[in-house]
Amino acid sequence: VQESGTAVREFTRDRAFNWTFLLDSDGAVTDRYFVNGLPFHVFIARDGTVAAIHPGVIRQPQANDYLARILN
């Protein structure tokens, strides 16, 4: 949330993340989705609709369930 691109690249470079990080440089996305804490997961379907929102820590089985909803 409102981090610089440089800070995000440095953070992600040193870890084994295999997904894309999107920047919210002005906080507009945070406001739009009412993010009130981190971590906060938004699963977006192929058609651009929000399929699920999961605030807080997510475990792999839960993530797989959300992904199955939007990938099938």
Side-chain angles (χ1 to χ4, degrees), residues 27-54:
V29 175
T30 302
D31 292 342
R32 181 175 183 154
Y33 291 100
F34 306 103
V35 175
N36 58 6
L38 296 175
F40 190 87
H41 305 82
V42 179
F43 293 85
I44 301 173
R46 293 174 197 254
D47 65 1
T49 59
V50 174
I53 294 175
H54 184 99

